[in-house]
Amino acid sequence: QKEVEQNSGPLSVPEGAIASLNCTYSDRGSQSFFWYRQYSGKSPELIMFIYSNGDKEDGRFTAQLNKASQYVSLLIRDSQPSDSATYLCAVKTSYDKVIFGPGTSLSVIP
Amino acid sequence: DAGVIQSPRHEVTEMGQEVTLRCKPISGHNSLFWYRQTMMRGLELLIYFNNNVPIDDSGMPEDRFSAKMPNASFSTLKIQPSEPRDSAVYFCASSFARYQPQHFGDGTRLSIL
């Protein structure tokens, strides 16, 4: 089992819809969780981080964390074509490493 | 404020040559990370420095790879000798502390012929 897993996609959603990106992790003691967005040919940029169970909202983005299920998700409301990118989940584990998932490719169709 | 600065942006060289990648972290950031990204393997951590000291180099693939951080504002990643399988995008990232969000540079796209 990989330490951080994501659906590779591509995930396609119509403009204006909600995009749901999922991430699971294997280390139950993981403490911090990050979502990065990476446009093609560009570097990853941080869009959200979450430390506690529950939801965290920032504009059109909502991060959801469920430590019991070892699951973290990112919801993008009112998806725009400019949201088309690869989304990387990163997890800070209990053994002092930050592990990146393979990323999910999102395509928002106008 | 300037972000993480990497140079060169692109490097094309022949197999066997020495390659040096450079990074200037964000001022005030104590942690610096070198990553390699390929389609096959995704984003891989190569080495992490804290306060200029290498803490975790378990991701460095071979002895051909070495990294230094002589001061808080500069780091290098060196490959000697380079091989075609080293072709990838190499990112440098920095953060205020190890588990704080990381800020990435624009990357160096390395092609070894």
Side-chain angles (χ1 to χ4, degrees), chain B:
Chain B
D1 190 15
V4 176
I5 299 173
Q6 290 186 248
S7 64
R9 291 295 308 279
H10 303 274
E11 175 88 12
V12 181
T13 191
E14 292 186 346
M15 182 175 66
Q17 297 297 307
E18 178 179 293
V19 173
T20 300
L21 310 181
R22 298 172 177 79
C23 175
K24 176 179 170 56
I26 294 173
S27 177
H29 281 191
N30 298 324
S31 298
L32 183 139
F33 308 81
W34 282 101
Y35 290 91
R36 177 173 67 178
Q37 187 174 42
T38 61
M39 288 294 292
M40 289 295 295
R41 301 175 67 91
L43 193 65
E44 301 174 279
L45 177 65
L46 300 177
I47 188 168
Y48 151 66
F49 291 87
N50 188 54
N51 291 324
N52 313 337
V53 176
I55 302 299
D56 180 0
D57 65 353
S58 60
M60 296 287 262
E62 302 171 36
D63 291 345
R64 298 185 295 107
F65 286 70
S66 62
K68 294 181 179 180
M69 192 165 185
N71 57 62
S73 58
F74 184 66
S75 177
T76 60
L77 178 68
K78 188 173 293 187
I79 308 172
Q80 167 63 23
S82 57
E83 296 183 4
R85 59 196 170 112
D86 302 330
S87 298
V89 180
Y90 290 80
F91 288 107
C92 175
S94 71
S95 64
F96 180 72
R98 180 170 188 177
Y99 303 120
Q100 294 297 310
Q102 297 176 26
H103 300 262
F104 284 75
D106 289 337
T108 294
R109 186 171 296 274
L110 178 63
S111 296
I112 308 298
L113 306 178

Side-chain angles (χ1 to χ4, degrees), chain A residues 36 38 43 46 92 96-97, chain B residues 37 56 58 98-99 102 105:
Chain A
Y36 290 82
Q38 187 174 23
S43 60
L46 179 76
K92 184 262 180 180
D96 287 348
K97 282 188 182 291
Chain B
Q37 187 174 42
D56 180 0
S58 60
R98 180 170 188 177
Y99 303 120
Q102 297 176 26

